Amino acid sequence: MSLPEIVRSAFRGIGANGPRSLLTVLGILIGVAAVILLVAVGNGSAQGGSNTLTIMGTGLTMKIAESLDDPVLAPGVRSVSPVAGTSAILTWEGAEHRSDSFMGTVPGWFTAADSPVETGAIFTADDEAQARRVVVIGRTVAEELFPGTDPVGQRVTVGGALFSVIGVLKEKRDAGDTAVAPISAVQQVLAGYGPLSAILVEAGDASPADTVEGQVSAILDTKLEPGSYRVVNASQPLETRTATARAFTTLLGAVAAVSLLVGGLGITNIMLVTVAERTREIGIRKALGAPRRVILAQFLVEATLLSVIGGGLGVAVAYLGSHFSIAGVQPVIVPGSVALVLGVSVLIGIFFGGLPAVRAAGLRPIDALRYP
Amino acid sequence: MTGTPVLDVRNLTRVYGDGATEVRALDGVTLRVERGEYVAVTGSSGSGKSTLMNILGCLDTPTTGGCLLDGVDVGRLTDAQLALVRNRRIGFVFQEFSLIPRISAVANVELPLAYHGIKPAERRRRAMSALDLIGLADRADHEPHQLSGGQQQRVAVARALVTESALLLADEPTGNLDSHATEELLSVFDELNAAGRTIVIITHEPGVGARADRLITLFDGRIVEDSRQEPAGRHAAAA
Ligand SMILES: Nc1ncnc2c1ncn2[C@@H]1O[C@H](COP(=O)(O)OP(=O)(O)O)[C@@H](O)[C@H]1O
Ligand SMILES: [Mg+2]
């Protein structure tokens, strides 16, 4: 029998044993899709989040902040946000709230600090240029000053000046007691034109925070006394987060591997249930003069086809599934996991699908025919 | 008759198990079958008939003793050579229905030809003419479970004769058949024998044994009687 004929005969075998073939394909499909998706979810949870450096020190100025926005010397920098912070008392209709973190900054800060607004809007570059008195307040400030009222559109008094509330920040752990206004307005009204309290530097997607830290430090060293500033790598917490995510991925991977194993056992079970039937069939084929090599080829090709079909469909399902966010995480498929899982599942299918055939092909026909 | 005997077995023994559970299924069987003979093997249940048949058909190997098939000592053959012998020289009909399930009757009959390396079109043609010979050409596309016991057994016979092997071995082929189906199957054997095939058939039915021209009786793994007889009740031979 030629190879194309063996393949055709294997296809016929798959078709003739419909339910069994379907179960095998399904078992591999579920195992493969589960592993790829779970790993993708773990991987997805590790991605995203800001990648920010905070520069603190004495003698930070707007000039220095501007010098950091340098595509040549610091190509890894995406945005620079000078921050003038102070403490201030906000009042509204007799209610009073003291915030230790009344910040003047630029619109880029909201992205850099990963602090988007929940309601309302952030201020614009134009607001900043015109030193408009607008403010975005944190959740704590909103609750203290405006219980039961929508703060957006209200005007609060800060340091004797009126600021319009234009937005409320999304809740963020330990950062609710904040108010953010254009730096020009804050300097005018509150902080004065002295040194900045910090500069936030956001690194670009492709630039590791460490690299950008080097670029920034090189610039700062030319402008400031060494030791008069420090760069806090805010991606430190991110790194811990990545480590957590990595642990999470490993955990999910382990769960997934177990599900693949269980899937594999299911396949094996299906195969073993039919061993008696297949062994007898092989006995008949041997009695009719089938060479061992042809029997092996037919059953191995059959097992391989089933595993490859199951594995391929599993990958397809995983790719489809990765378009939906799962438990709030957008899965990001890890190509390595696809290759690994596909390889493992196909091997499981071939091994357990082919094993009975390999064994039976070595039996004397009469022993195969008499298989209990 | 002259020439190399089709079967020439000497002092065959076959022992199953060992120690306390040892069973001597065959205990020194010596037998020659010449070309064109029609031999019936009888004997009570457990006398070793199937064991002998399986060894003659190269499905099993004897514990001691040798088996020459067309002068070739099958004990010395490799696995691949044995496959070739089973395919080209022997047609085997089992007692149990031994068709492969879920493939059509004609696909079953084609199988030995496929292992013989014959092209699909030629295979189909020869399988159909074998089915025609046993009168089941109209059931070619039926799967085994759609056929009666007798029809399945006849398909198995068609499969055994399709390679035109000189030796046809059948282990109680009529064991599960009613008298009508038995008669149909036996007339196929009669025709095949008349056409020159060597046939060895196991049976415990006297009417079946009477159709052969030689009757061998086994008892406890030994041949206790081996006699030539005038075949009775044949149709094809009379024609
Ligand atoms: N696979 C086997 N294992 C052990 N004993 C067997 C086996 N096959 C047959 N026997 C024993 O060998 C003897 C002959 O069996 P068998 O050749 O099947 O007899 P028959 O076909 O004449 O009824 C019986 O006693 C049977 O129990
Ligand atoms: Mg028997």
Side-chain angles (χ1 to χ4, degrees):
Chain A
M1 266 174 132
S2 61
L3 190 66
E5 244 195 273
I6 290 171
V7 172
R8 237 175 292 140
S9 153
F11 262 115
R12 241 177 283 131
I14 289 173
N17 301 290
R20 178 173 82 213
S21 307
L22 199 73
L23 283 176
T24 309
V25 165
L26 215 61
I28 296 184
L29 188 159
I30 292 172
V32 167
V35 177
I36 295 177
L37 267 185
L38 288 178
V39 172
V41 168
N43 183 38
S45 72
Q47 301 206 347
S50 68
N51 202 5
T52 307
L53 305 173
T54 308
I55 300 157
M56 293 192 278
T58 54
L60 296 175
T61 63
M62 288 300 277
K63 270 227 155 50
I64 289 173
E66 277 156 26
S67 73
L68 294 177
D69 197 1
D70 186 331
V72 180
L73 293 177
V77 172
R78 175 189 277 166
S79 74
V80 179
S81 308
V83 178
T86 178
S87 65
I89 293 169
L90 298 87
T91 52
W92 180 71
E93 290 190 352
E96 202 168 271
H97 177 77
R98 182 189 162 86
S99 168
D100 286 328
S101 172
F102 196 99
M103 290 187 281
T105 186
V106 294
W109 177 91
F110 292 93
T111 326
D114 193 22
S115 281
V117 287
E118 175 135 56
T119 57
I122 64 171
F123 54 84
T124 62
D126 189 49
D127 291 334
E128 203 273 319
Q130 306 293 326
R132 288 203 186 97
R133 289 169 190 179
V134 289
V135 66
V136 177
I137 57 176
R139 180 59 78 77
T140 311
V141 179
E143 279 161 9
E144 292 283 328
L145 277 186
F146 306 98
T149 313
D150 180 10
V152 177
Q154 308 294 341
R155 303 175 127 218
V156 291
T157 313
V158 187
L162 276 176
F163 278 75
S164 298
V165 177
I166 56 167
V168 178
L169 292 175
K170 212 173 225 160
E171 179 140 38
K172 214 178 158 192
R173 209 184 310 153
D174 305 331
D177 192 10
T178 304
V180 189
I183 189 165
S184 44
V186 172
Q187 284 176 329
Q188 232 172 51
V189 175
L190 290 164
Y193 296 92
L196 299 172
S197 46
I199 301 174
L200 239 61
V201 174
E202 188 191 0
D205 275 341
S207 319
D210 292 347
T211 315
V212 178
E213 185 177 343
Q215 296 166 354
V216 165
S217 301
I219 297 174
L220 291 176
D221 282 342
T222 65
K223 320 233 168 213
L224 290 167
E225 290 289 314
S228 70
Y229 72 93
R230 62 198 170 91
V231 179
V232 179
N233 196 334
S235 75
Q236 223 73 47
L238 181 72
E239 245 162 48
T240 359
R241 238 168 75 198
T242 313
T244 316
R246 208 172 289 134
F248 188 52
T249 308
T250 311
L251 189 71
L252 283 176
V255 170
V258 169
S259 71
L260 188 63
L261 191 74
V262 171
L265 286 177
I267 296 162
T268 315
N269 191 33
I270 294 165
M271 300 290 190
L272 287 181
V273 164
T274 58
V275 162
E277 186 189 313
R278 311 213 106 183
T279 305
R280 274 182 232 120
E281 177 182 334
I282 288 172
I284 297 171
R285 288 176 184 273
K286 288 199 81 163
L288 300 177
R292 187 184 169 137
R293 152 187 80 74
V294 170
I295 291 178
L296 284 182
Q298 188 202 325
F299 283 81
L300 285 179
V301 167
E302 191 180 313
T304 309
L305 279 174
L306 285 179
S307 332
V308 169
I309 293 171
L313 288 177
V315 172
V317 166
Y319 267 100
L320 282 180
S322 72
H323 290 305
F324 302 94
S325 83
I326 296 167
V329 178
Q330 186 62 45
V332 178
I333 285 183
V334 183
S337 75
V338 176
L340 185 77
V341 167
L342 207 55
V344 168
S345 66
V346 166
L347 283 183
I348 288 179
I350 294 174
F351 186 72
F352 290 111
L355 196 63
V358 172
R359 241 190 20 203
L363 293 175
R364 277 184 300 208
I366 194 65
D367 294 330
L369 281 166
R370 287 255 178 81
Y371 194 86
Chain B
M1 282 182 214
T2 55
T4 328
V6 176
L7 283 170
D8 185 356
V9 300
R10 290 172 197 160
N11 210 15
L12 276 189
T13 64
R14 177 67 167 97
V15 180
Y16 292 113
D18 47 33
T21 61
E22 183 181 294
V23 176
R24 281 182 104 66
L26 289 181
D27 192 7
V29 170
T30 299
L31 170 72
R32 279 162 75 105
V33 177
E34 305 294 338
R35 194 162 302 280
E37 273 193 292
Y38 188 166
V39 182
V41 179
T42 63
S44 56
S45 179
S47 58
K49 304 183 297 292
S50 294
T51 303
L52 174 64
M53 200 62 130
N54 293 334
I55 292 172
L56 296 182
C58 298
L59 306 181
D60 197 1
T61 46
T63 308
T64 63
C67 176
L68 301 187
L69 193 78
D70 285 329
V72 177
D73 183 356
V74 296
R76 296 174 183 278
L77 299 181
T78 64
D79 201 51
Q81 290 170 320
L82 269 177
L84 218 61
V85 166
R86 286 182 204 119
N87 187 243
R88 317 242 155 145
R89 310 226 176 188
I90 303 167
F92 205 107
V93 180
F94 305 95
Q95 177 175 2
E96 304 284 311
F97 304 137
S98 52
L99 301 180
I100 292 180
R102 295 187 286 275
I103 65 173
S104 67
V106 66
N108 262 286
V109 178
E110 277 184 35
L111 273 179
L113 297 175
Y115 298 134
H116 210 105
I118 291 170
K119 294 267 176 305
E122 168 75 1
R123 246 166 31 204
R124 181 56 52 118
R125 197 188 58 72
R126 282 173 63 177
M128 283 309 296
S129 73
L131 280 175
D132 201 32
L133 187 71
I134 51 127
L136 281 177
D138 56 334
R139 300 294 161 90
D141 293 327
H142 289 214
E143 289 181 13
H145 69 92
Q146 297 169 310
L147 298 171
S148 74
Q151 289 169 333
Q152 289 186 40
Q153 204 62 324
R154 276 150 69 202
V155 172
V157 172
R159 190 177 63 187
L161 58 84
V162 74
T163 54
E164 290 173 3
S165 50
L167 177 62
L168 189 69
L169 302 173
D171 187 352
E172 301 205 31
T174 61
N176 297 317
L177 305 186
D178 61 28
S179 60
H180 177 68
T182 298
E183 186 49 45
E184 276 183 325
L185 194 64
L186 288 179
S187 59
V188 171
F189 284 156
D190 289 345
E191 280 174 50
L192 290 171
N193 183 239
R197 307 264 187 127
T198 312
I199 296 174
V200 179
I201 181 174
I202 289 181
T203 183
H204 54 241
E205 295 167 65
V208 176
R211 301 285 275 260
D213 43 37
R214 181 175 167 194
L215 192 65
I216 293 174
T217 309
L218 277 182
F219 183 77
D220 268 359
R222 294 166 190 271
I223 293 178
V224 291
E225 200 190 327
D226 185 348
S227 59
R228 301 198 172 270
Q229 63 182 21
E230 203 50 47
R234 285 200 198 176
H235 305 296

